[in-house]
Amino acid sequence: MPFEISTTRHFSASHQLRLYDNSIEPLHGHNWTVCVTVAAQKLDAMGVVMDFHELERLADLIIAPMHNRHLNDLSAFAEANPSAEGVAFHVGTMIVLPADIRLVAVEVWETAENSAVYRP
């Protein structure tokens, strides 16, 4: 698809990863950054992929319930590790886009240096 747009959202949350030996790492938090990129084959009647504000709203519907929360306590992470990869997958599989818009990727940063990407 030749046209893409992205929105970047932020939230703060704590988590504890379940480690390889089944132990749990110490409780800690991050100021997370989530970038959602979508694409369209052609521009709409207004000449855009979709309204940025609508993309922000759709992303926020998924991200807002994670803000100021302990991710391990959320049902989305009852079976999955609340890792950057897990958050990216959660956002990417939960976002509901218009029929002519395709999700390209969700990139999630735990820190300014460390990110994970989910591409459906």
Side-chain angles (χ1 to χ4, degrees):
M1 295 198 166
F3 299 100
E4 293 182 1
I5 63 169
S6 299
T7 189
T8 302
R9 316 307 290 155
H10 304 275
F11 71 100
S12 297
S14 65
H15 71 158
Q16 294 172 283
L17 296 182
R18 291 177 288 282
L19 303 175
Y20 294 110
D21 65 0
N22 259 352
S23 65
I24 297 181
E25 72 180 352
L27 174 67
H28 65 283
H30 298 284
N31 292 316
W32 304 74
T33 300
V34 177
C35 180
V36 177
T37 301
V38 299
Q41 190 62 40
K42 60 182 183 171
L43 301 179
D44 68 10
M46 197 172 89
V48 299
V49 170
M50 68 181 290
D51 186 299
F52 276 113
H53 297 297
E54 179 62 6
L55 181 56
E56 291 169 348
R57 186 187 74 76
L58 294 173
D60 286 344
L61 287 172
I62 302 155
I63 295 166
M66 294 188 286
H67 183 58
N68 289 330
R69 299 288 306 273
H70 181 55
L71 297 181
N72 297 67
D73 293 341
L74 301 178
S75 62
F77 301 107
E79 300 295 322
N81 232 350
S83 61
E85 296 89 339
V87 172
F89 180 78
H90 173 64
V91 173
T93 57
M94 295 302 294
I95 195 162
V96 178
L97 297 167
D100 54 342
I101 305 298
R102 181 179 65 83
L103 179 68
V104 173
V106 177
E107 186 165 9
V108 173
W109 288 266
E110 280 190 356
T111 68
E113 295 82 22
N114 299 309
S115 71
V117 178
Y118 168 70
R119 296 181 208 286

